[in-house]
Amino acid sequence: MDLGIRGRQALVCAGSKGLGKACAYSLVREGVNVTIVARGQQTLEETAAELRALNSGAVTAVVADITSAEGRALALKHCPSPDILITNAGGPPAGDFRDLTH
């Protein structure tokens, strides 16, 4: 399927596994240049290698915590003008939502 997004720039947060990895995979297959961001270097590099093996879009791996100002700055340094943003990071701690204070 051609979604008409070939050559676009995407920033995928928490892109080394799970939903983020699946999004990055689909984007790369469409020819999108993807920057994947995650905290774990080894898993991130393994995922980047898998995505690069698709030989479609360019893949940049950035080790950073996107929930911090420093992490966001580093991600945007590598992908300053994303056309596509996948915000797949963070969230509340596990537990009953009624016990959350904020």
Side-chain angles (χ1 to χ4, degrees):
M1 173 187 313
D2 181 2
L3 298 176
I5 57 176
R6 181 171 301 283
R8 302 285 184 162
Q9 304 298 317
L11 178 59
V12 181
C13 303
S16 66
K17 54 188 172 182
L19 183 60
K21 180 178 178 178
C23 290
Y25 179 87
S26 295
L27 290 166
V28 169
R29 291 211 25 156
E30 286 295 319
V32 173
N33 300 315
V34 175
T35 299
I36 54 175
V37 181
R39 293 177 295 183
Q41 183 170 2
Q42 182 176 347
T43 305
L44 182 67
E45 290 299 336
E46 291 169 358
T47 296
E50 289 176 35
L51 296 173
R52 289 180 187 120
L54 297 173
N55 293 319
S56 192
V59 178
T60 302
V62 178
V63 178
D65 181 351
I66 201 72
T67 65
S68 72
E70 297 82 12
R72 289 187 296 277
L74 186 59
L76 289 172
K77 177 182 175 186
H78 290 278
C79 186
S81 299
D83 299 300
I84 301 164
L85 175 62
I86 307 294
T87 56
N88 175 50
D96 189 321
F97 76 94
R98 293 171 291 200
D99 295 332
L100 298 176
T101 58
H102 56 302

